[in-house]
């Protein structure tokens, strides 16, 4: 071993050097962010004229906003739920509420209850499509509504076909 360095000593030196660089970088970052927080300003347009405000005041304003306060309240409720019911229960509820397939939204657009039959879905789609078709309805929003109805129907058709394939594959 050259110069009396063992692999353990070399490893310790490497980690010590890495830690020192991390501390120096962190200290520098804190100095820069502190300077920005206390001295920087931003210019925003308010009622047609530019207004200069300190970054510090804007951060405090955002921190005290109702949206951030509500976020912390909700996160507290989530944490209590996880403590009482476990993470898996929270995860299952989150996935269900995210409506990844868009099925819940599609039922809502078509004005149907979840669990409607294929026949009910098709009947409702046809009646809404007739009502909001751009050739029949001349209001400006009809085209957007018609498109949303089409997307909801296609989405439900795809979800139903996926479910039927899964149930068929399970046999």
């Amino acid at each position: 071993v050259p110069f009396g360095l063992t692999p353990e000593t070399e490893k310790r030196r490497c980690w010590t050097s890495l830690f020192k660089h991390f501390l120096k970088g962190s200290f520098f970052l804190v100095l820069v962010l502190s300077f920005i927080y206390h001295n920087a300003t931003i210019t925003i347009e308010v009622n047609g004229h530019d207004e200069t405000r300190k970054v510090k005041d804007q951060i405090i304003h955002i921190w005290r906003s109702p949206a951030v306060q509500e976020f912390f309240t909700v996160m507290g409720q989530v944490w209590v739920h996880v403590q009482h019911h476990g993470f898996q229960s929270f995860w299952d509820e989150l996935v269900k509420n995210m409506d990844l397939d868009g099925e819940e939204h599609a039922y809502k657009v078509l004005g149907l209850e979840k669990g409607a039959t294929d026949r009910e879905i098709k009947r409702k789609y046809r009646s809404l499509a007739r009502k909001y078709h751009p050739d029949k309805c001349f209001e400006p929003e009809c085209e957007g509504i018609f498109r949303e109805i089409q997307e909801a129907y296609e989405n439900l058709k795809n979800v139903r076909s996926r479910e039927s394939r899964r149930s068929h594959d399970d046999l």
Side-chain angles (χ1 to χ4, degrees):
V1 178
F3 306 111
L5 293 177
T6 63
E8 291 82 24
T9 307
E10 188 68 30
K11 195 181 212 181
R12 191 175 314 116
R13 270 187 171 178
C14 180
W15 280 108
T16 303
S17 174
L18 185 66
F19 182 71
K20 286 179 183 177
H21 287 302
F22 175 76
L23 282 178
K24 290 175 188 175
S26 298
F27 182 70
F28 180 74
L29 183 64
V30 165
L31 285 176
V32 169
L33 291 176
S34 177
F35 177 81
I36 290 171
Y37 179 76
H38 290 288
N39 299 311
T41 60
I42 57 172
T43 303
I44 57 175
E45 187 176 325
V46 179
N47 297 329
H49 67 281
D50 291 343
E51 196 172 296
T52 302
R53 297 182 181 173
K54 284 191 149 203
V55 169
K56 176 182 178 181
D57 296 334
Q58 289 303 106
I59 291 173
I60 291 170
H61 179 72
I62 291 169
W63 186 258
R64 292 180 180 162
S65 71
V68 171
Q69 298 306 313
E70 182 182 355
F71 172 78
F72 286 122
T73 302
V74 168
M75 294 300 5
Q77 292 169 351
V78 166
W79 178 246
V80 168
H81 178 83
V82 168
Q83 286 177 322
H84 290 298
H85 303 289
F87 183 76
Q88 188 62 46
S89 167
F90 162 73
W91 184 256
D92 293 341
E93 192 72 23
L94 179 69
V95 169
K96 185 182 120 203
N97 288 332
M98 286 176 60
D99 191 23
L100 296 175
D101 293 330
E103 188 177 7
E104 300 280 332
H105 178 70
Y107 279 118
K108 192 168 143 187
V109 167
L110 294 176
L112 295 168
E113 295 290 321
K114 187 171 169 103
T117 65
D118 289 340
R119 190 175 187 185
E120 292 170 332
I121 293 170
K122 188 178 258 187
R123 187 181 306 132
K124 189 68 170 182
Y125 164 70
R126 286 184 175 169
S127 76
L128 289 173
R130 260 186 256 112
K131 180 178 179 182
Y132 290 104
H133 194 280
D135 292 342
K136 301 237 180 184
C137 180
F138 300 107
E139 300 296 320
E141 64 271 355
C142 285
E143 189 175 335
I145 294 171
F146 180 73
R147 219 176 291 122
E148 192 172 6
I149 291 167
Q150 281 184 311
E151 289 170 6
Y153 179 67
E154 288 298 320
N155 191 354
L156 281 179
K157 265 185 22 181
N158 292 339
V159 167
R160 292 290 178 108
S161 66
R162 236 180 291 131
E163 287 173 356
S164 69
R165 270 187 264 127
R166 280 188 203 137
S167 64
H168 184 56
D169 289 345
D170 290 342
L171 296 178

